[in-house]
Amino acid sequence: MTLESTYGVTRRFLGIWLAPLTLDETVARCIGAVEERTPLRIGVLNAAKIVKMRKDPWLRDAVLDCDLTLADGQSVVWAGRLLKEPIPERVAGIDLMNALLPEAERLGHRVFFLGARNAVLQNMLDELAIRYPGLKIAGSRHGYFSAKEEPAIADAIREAGTDLLFIGVSSPKKELFVHRWGLRTGAYVVHGVGGSFDVLAGEVQRAPSWWQKNGLEWLYRAIQEPLRLGPRYITTNTVFLGLLAHEMLIRRLPLRRRSPRKVQ
């Protein structure tokens, strides 16, 4: 099932509307938002987050409120094919950020980074200064803040004249910040990128491309932190497969059997 919205065509996936975009198409959409001065709040979905949204209404509302929701996990892309709601490719948060940074340098867009520890944040900024010497940094701030501090942070981001805001904090904190304060920041592109700052700073090693392309990035991370991530991934992946199987079964049932009976 497809739907035409202000931000283009979306496809329904396990109760959520996803944008069937490639990475290049998403980058073009983001550049257009900055150039046209149109706010674009981006959400990303993987199997774990879809499962969490079932139990966390705050997270669910935050993701559903995004202007553009993308398939961050390869499992979501595969599931879309099984449900005949094809998504062309995975658009991982870190890949989108890495694709947008050189464009921001080229076009003179101002970038703000919010997240990580101070030391990690500084290491990342040092690395970016080498990769993109012409990149305009509107500002940066570590990601350890309370709910009471959020309005002031949003105002500081606005005052910095931010075009693109990258939020490197964990879920659901980043989604809730985007939901509550994304528009107030004045940034035209607001994108939660999770642990991407740690990867760019060299603190965490990302899975090699083969693992990514084969949907095994979660397993690579679990091998790195088996006690913390192993049980979590096993649980969420199992639940996700159950949700997918249920959705496939429902779609195969005759329409009349799926329709609720009228109450007399």
Side-chain angles (χ1 to χ4, degrees):
M1 181 177 180
T2 60
L3 177 69
E4 183 74 32
S5 70
T6 306
Y7 299 93
V9 173
T10 57
R11 293 201 171 106
R12 190 170 178 79
F13 179 88
L14 295 177
I16 304 159
W17 292 98
L18 279 174
L21 299 175
T22 64
L23 177 60
D24 289 343
E25 289 170 339
T26 306
V27 170
R29 191 74 60 85
C30 292
I31 293 173
V34 178
E35 296 294 319
E36 296 166 11
R37 298 297 190 258
T38 304
L40 183 64
R41 296 166 298 167
I42 298 173
V44 294
L45 282 179
N46 54 29
K49 192 179 297 184
I50 289 173
V51 171
K52 290 178 182 178
M53 288 170 62
R54 298 275 170 154
K55 298 181 179 181
D56 187 340
W58 295 101
L59 174 60
R60 180 177 178 82
D61 288 346
V63 173
L64 294 180
D65 188 49
C66 288
D67 303 308
L68 194 65
T69 306
L70 306 165
D72 179 277
Q74 187 62 38
S75 58
V76 176
V77 176
W78 289 338
R81 294 172 187 169
L82 289 174
L83 295 173
K84 301 188 185 305
E85 300 287 355
I87 305 296
E89 67 179 12
R90 175 193 184 200
V91 181
I94 187 171
D95 292 335
L96 178 56
M97 176 174 148
N98 282 334
L100 284 172
L101 289 175
E103 291 300 304
E105 179 188 35
R106 180 177 67 88
L107 297 168
H109 296 163
R110 295 172 58 81
V111 183
F112 196 106
F113 299 96
L114 173 65
R117 293 179 287 109
N118 272 325
V120 173
L121 183 60
Q122 188 56 56
N123 287 340
M124 182 193 70
L125 292 174
D126 291 342
E127 175 63 25
L128 293 182
I130 297 172
R131 294 189 191 184
Y132 314 111
L135 182 65
K136 294 183 179 180
I137 307 294
S140 62
R141 190 194 190 283
H142 67 78
Y144 293 84
F145 51 84
S146 66
K148 292 182 179 179
E149 295 176 284
E150 291 180 352
I153 293 172
D155 291 340
I157 294 170
R158 174 184 287 275
E159 291 169 5
T162 302
D163 293 315
L164 298 100
L165 168 62
F166 296 107
I167 306 174
V169 300
S170 60
S171 180
K173 187 174 182 178
K174 67 176 182 291
E175 288 87 1
L176 295 178
F177 186 91
V178 173
H179 177 58
R180 294 167 178 164
W181 310 108
L183 294 177
R184 181 162 168 170
T185 66
Y188 300 108
V189 173
V190 181
H191 179 26
V193 296
S196 300
F197 291 9
D198 297 87
V199 176
L200 291 175
E203 298 287 324
V204 175
Q205 183 179 0
R206 193 181 181 194
S209 58
W210 184 89
W211 293 71
Q212 296 177 40
K213 292 178 181 178
N214 288 278
L216 296 174
E217 191 165 9
W218 65 271
L219 180 58
Y220 187 87
R221 292 186 60 196
I223 292 173
Q224 290 181 311
E225 300 182 77
L227 295 179
R228 186 176 75 88
L229 297 179
R232 181 193 307 176
Y233 283 136
I234 290 174
T235 300
T236 56
N237 287 348
T238 300
V239 174
F240 177 77
L241 289 174
L243 293 172
L244 177 59
H246 180 264
E247 181 71 13
M248 292 177 66
L249 177 61
I250 291 297
R251 292 190 180 203
R252 289 179 180 177
L253 290 175
L255 182 60
R256 63 182 181 181
R257 292 180 62 185
R258 287 188 277 154
S259 302
R261 295 182 178 179
K262 293 183 179 180
V263 178
Q264 300 296 329

